[in-house]
């Protein structure tokens, strides 16, 4: 009885810990803020975010607990990385209604699509007005906000091993040697072809000269015969 009770207690504790941790793990992918009656949540559209993969800045807007459906161009976003910053970009709705019925997406979600080219932290700066409330908020990716962009090599399987500098130098020497040999062979072939062409030209000229001499000799013989 005691062992059964202990087993059930341990199971309950594990389940409670799991239930507690799952929301935290899910929430760590996004961050947000409240501005007046407007609630903002942001992060990358696709997480984890990888270098070279299509992604975007996601913004979820709620007004008094209800999704904002008619943002239009009222709010823009600038994406920054290091010293580089994009121009102000319009956010596009990530949901679609038809005849008043939701066809796809989640109401209140907006995004600006781009492809991150470098790993590391990115900053999303949102500016504008929502339902009369001014918005001017910046969010930077990090351990306490939302996912940073990572190099896909780190997540690749099987692991991709980058060549060392010595291996690269050896490959470069090998390719250089092959290229030099190919150039040498090409030059030798061109030289042989030129020599053959010169020889053929010389033989043709000699043949023409011999033929000309033969013709002259025949003419002289004919003239001499007539005189005799």
């Amino acid at each position: 009885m005691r062992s059964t009770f202990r087993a059930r207690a341990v199971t309950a504790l594990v389940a409670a810990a799991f239930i507690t941790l799952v929301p935290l793990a899910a929430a760590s992918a996004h961050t947000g803020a409240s501005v007046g009656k407007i609630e903002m949540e942001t992060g990358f559209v696709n997480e984890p975010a990888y270098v070279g993969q299509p992604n975007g800045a996601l913004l979820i807007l709620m007004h008094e607990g209800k999704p904002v459906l008619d943002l239009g161009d009222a709010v823009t976003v600038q994406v920054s990385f290091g010293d580089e910053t994009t121009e102000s970009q319009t956010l596009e709705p990530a949901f679609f209604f038809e005849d008043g019925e939701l066809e796809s997406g989640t109401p209140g979600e907006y995004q600006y699509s781009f492809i991150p080219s470098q790993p590391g932290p990115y900053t999303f700066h949102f500016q504008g007005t929502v339902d009369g409330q001014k918005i001017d908020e910046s969010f930077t990716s990090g351990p306490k906000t939302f996912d940073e962009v990572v190099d896909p090599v780190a997540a690749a399987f099987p692991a991709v091993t980058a060549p060392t500098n010595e291996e690269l130098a050896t490959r470069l020497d090998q390719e250089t040697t092959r290229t030099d040999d190919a150039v040498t062979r090409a030059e030798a072939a061109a030289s042989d072809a030129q020599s053959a062409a010169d020889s053929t030209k010389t033989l043709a000229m000699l043949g023409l000269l011999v033929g000309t001499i033969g013709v002259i000799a025949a003419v002289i013989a004919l003239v001499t015969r007539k005189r005799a």
Side-chain angles (χ1 to χ4, degrees), residues 8-22:
R8 291 178 179 177
V10 170
T11 302
L13 288 174
V14 171
F18 179 78
I19 293 172
T20 303
L21 290 175
V22 167

Side-chain angles (χ1 to χ4, degrees), residues 143-165:
K144 296 182 179 181
T145 53
F146 57 97
D147 287 353
E148 293 187 356
V149 176
V150 297
D151 190 333
V153 173
F157 180 83
V160 178
T161 303
T164 64
N165 291 335

Side-chain angles (χ1 to χ4, degrees), residues 70-208:
D70 54 351
L71 183 65
D73 58 358
V75 175
T76 60
V77 62
Q78 288 180 300
V79 179
S80 299
F81 179 86
D83 296 331
E84 298 187 37
T85 302
T86 67
E87 299 292 333
S88 296
Q89 304 293 333
T90 301
L91 294 161
E92 299 294 334
F95 55 91
F96 175 69
F97 281 92
E98 184 173 358
D99 298 330
E101 297 292 332
L102 180 65
E103 292 292 324
S104 62
T106 303
E109 290 191 2
Y110 298 86
Q111 58 185 248
Y112 159 62
S113 299
F114 70 97
I115 300 176
S117 61
Q118 299 292 332
Y122 284 68
T123 298
F124 302 155
H125 182 197
F126 299 99
Q127 291 180 298
T129 303
V130 179
D131 294 338
Q133 177 65 57
K134 184 178 179 180
I135 301 293
D136 189 356
E137 299 290 330
S138 292
F139 306 91
T140 301
S141 59
K144 296 182 179 181
T145 53
F146 57 97
D147 287 353
E148 293 187 356
V149 176
V150 297
D151 190 333
V153 173
F157 180 83
V160 178
T161 303
T164 64
N165 291 335
E166 293 181 358
E167 291 174 338
L168 290 175
T170 300
R171 292 181 186 178
L172 180 60
D173 290 340
Q174 292 174 347
E175 294 301 325
T176 301
T177 301
R178 291 177 184 174
T179 303
D180 290 342
D181 291 343
V183 171
T184 300
R185 288 195 295 269
E187 290 177 347
S191 178
D192 293 342
Q194 184 62 43
S195 297
D198 292 342
S199 298
T200 302
K201 183 178 180 181
T202 300
L203 291 174
M205 293 179 66
L206 288 174
L208 179 61

